[in-house]
């Protein structure tokens, strides 16, 4: 894993297993909170990418309150590290999708709303 990557949660046999929070090291800075099985995202979880902080005021406000201001969010089922099953995907200011996913893609029945 890259410098800055962080995982806090349950382990089994040296792997992420159970509930945990995974923070990516990339400039995008995605955060996953949910279930893991044998080191990969599996079960129910939420993945989100926070909006970048544009000023000192933004940074100070986010430190002082629970702020879920994000650019992208997926909440739902995962299998083997991919979105799989029922879920909700939001691209802030663009669209909201609620429905089925298969192998990380929207697939099956769903509802797409443009914001």
């Amino acid at each position: 894993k890259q410098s800055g990557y962080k995982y806090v949660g349950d382990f089994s046999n040296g792997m992420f297993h159970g509930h945990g929070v995974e923070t990516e090291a990339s400039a995008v800075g995605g955060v996953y909170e949910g279930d893991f099985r044998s080191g990969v995202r599996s079960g129910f979880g939420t993945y989100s990418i926070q909006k970048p902080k544009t000023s000192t005021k933004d940074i100070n406000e986010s430190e002082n309150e629970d702020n879920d201001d994000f650019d992208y969010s997926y909440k739902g089922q995962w299998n083997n590290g991919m979105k799989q099953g029922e879920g909700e995907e939001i691209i802030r200011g663009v669209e909201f999708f609620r429905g089925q996913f298969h192998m990380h893609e929207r697939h099956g029945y769903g509802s797409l709303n443009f914001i």
Side-chain angles (χ1 to χ4, degrees):
K1 302 288 182 181
Q2 296 176 324
S3 176
Y5 174 88
K6 181 179 177 182
Y7 172 81
V8 176
D10 299 324
F11 288 84
S12 178
N13 296 319
M15 292 189 284
F16 311 158
H17 194 85
H19 187 81
V21 178
E22 180 181 45
T23 305
E24 297 174 345
S26 68
V28 173
V31 176
Y32 171 82
E33 180 173 1
D35 300 325
F36 290 84
R37 288 192 193 104
S38 301
V40 295
R41 299 169 186 173
S42 288
F44 183 83
T46 301
Y47 176 79
S48 60
I49 299 171
Q50 298 291 321
K51 281 188 170 182
K53 306 297 184 232
T54 56
S55 70
T56 304
K57 181 180 180 223
D58 289 344
I59 293 167
N60 290 337
E61 285 178 359
S62 68
E63 290 173 355
N64 294 325
E65 60 187 60
D66 185 19
N67 185 356
D68 59 359
D69 197 17
F70 56 87
D71 280 335
Y72 173 86
S73 177
Y74 171 79
K75 177 171 66 173
Q77 296 296 317
W78 295 78
N79 186 32
N80 202 26
M82 291 190 267
K83 296 176 274 191
Q84 179 78 22
E86 295 292 321
E88 296 179 353
E89 186 174 53
I90 301 169
I91 301 172
R92 176 73 73 200
V94 179
E95 62 188 34
F96 171 79
F97 176 81
R98 176 181 291 145
Q100 298 172 342
F101 289 80
H102 179 70
M103 296 183 70
H104 228 47
E105 299 291 329
R106 297 172 184 170
H107 183 82
Y109 184 79
S111 170
L112 177 63
N113 297 298
F114 293 96
I115 302 170

